[in-house]
Amino acid sequence: MSVYASDKLISEARRLAVEFRAATGKPLGISNEIAEFDAARLLDLELCKERNGGFDAIGKKTPRVGKRIQIKARAIFDENKSGQRIGQLKLDKEWDSVMLVIMDEKYLPVEIYEAPRSAVMQALSERPENNRNKRGMMSVARFKNIAHLVWTSVDGEIQDDLWDNQLANRGNA
């Protein structure tokens, strides 16, 4: 299948997801597949054909060459709603980092964050009594705190290793 065909299919998936939510009030459940496609396209990743290794993509260019990346998605429908969580992380598998693709109500990417395995494991170990931590679950807010912003819909890919929280608030002022 060509990239063009994939672009068209993902575009149609976005449209169907939006229409399904409008009709039922529920998400369709395909946000992760859309996010994987977007992350690969926007950050030059190669999606894995088989998904049994604990990662969804491998980096093709610096600074991610050869890195094994889990990709998670979160569509934000209501910015005022707190406690939003990312999907369960595969803690028992081999991977190097996790990317979180934040999407808007039309399932279009807005921001992509990336956190190395060490930061994720450290964050999950800080409150070991929490059963969600043991299962590899984390809030979107917590993930953003330990991750680096690597892409925005306004600026594209962010090459700088040092990211300032002020960048995220620039559009809100």
Side-chain angles (χ1 to χ4, degrees):
M1 179 183 316
S2 72
V3 172
Y4 178 73
S6 296
D7 280 342
K8 287 187 82 164
L9 288 170
I10 290 296
S11 179
E12 186 64 11
R14 282 185 223 281
R15 186 187 65 74
L16 289 171
V18 169
E19 286 186 22
F20 184 84
R21 186 164 185 278
T24 67
K26 299 177 187 178
L28 186 56
I30 60 170
S31 59
N32 224 66
E33 288 76 11
I34 294 170
E36 288 172 5
F37 178 84
D38 287 338
R41 177 177 54 87
L42 298 167
L43 297 171
D44 204 12
L45 309 175
E46 184 174 334
L47 291 176
C48 299
K49 298 210 184 319
E50 293 187 30
R51 303 292 173 89
N52 56 4
F55 53 95
D56 304 301
I58 297 176
K60 292 179 8 183
K61 71 174 191 177
T62 303
R64 296 178 191 88
V65 172
K67 298 228 183 230
R68 302 163 297 177
I69 303 164
Q70 275 191 61
I71 300 171
K72 299 296 179 184
R74 187 66 185 164
I76 306 292
F77 304 116
D78 181 359
E79 299 242 357
N80 296 322
K81 185 178 177 187
S82 64
Q84 297 183 17
R85 306 192 77 71
I86 64 172
Q88 187 169 350
L89 300 168
K90 301 169 187 127
L91 301 177
D92 60 334
K93 303 286 185 174
E94 294 296 319
W95 47 273
D96 299 305
S97 68
V98 176
M99 283 187 180
L100 174 61
V101 179
I102 304 291
M103 297 180 289
D104 65 14
E105 67 281 351
K106 294 180 180 174
Y107 292 84
L108 293 169
V110 176
E111 298 174 328
I112 302 177
Y113 292 84
E114 183 175 16
R117 182 183 184 103
S118 59
V120 171
M121 299 306 277
Q122 173 67 33
L124 291 172
S125 71
E126 287 174 356
R127 290 182 251 151
E129 72 283 351
N130 187 333
N131 280 335
R132 287 183 175 153
N133 287 359
K134 291 177 187 172
R135 293 191 309 258
M137 297 174 73
M138 185 182 299
S139 72
V140 169
R142 179 74 172 132
F143 188 85
K144 284 181 173 184
N145 283 337
I146 65 167
H148 295 281
L149 183 66
V150 296
W151 183 91
T152 71
S153 58
V154 173
D155 298 321
E157 188 170 1
I158 298 170
Q159 299 290 333
D160 191 12
D161 284 341
L162 298 174
W163 176 69
D164 184 349
N165 281 332
Q166 298 306 312
L167 261 180
N169 296 322
R170 179 173 49 199
N172 299 334

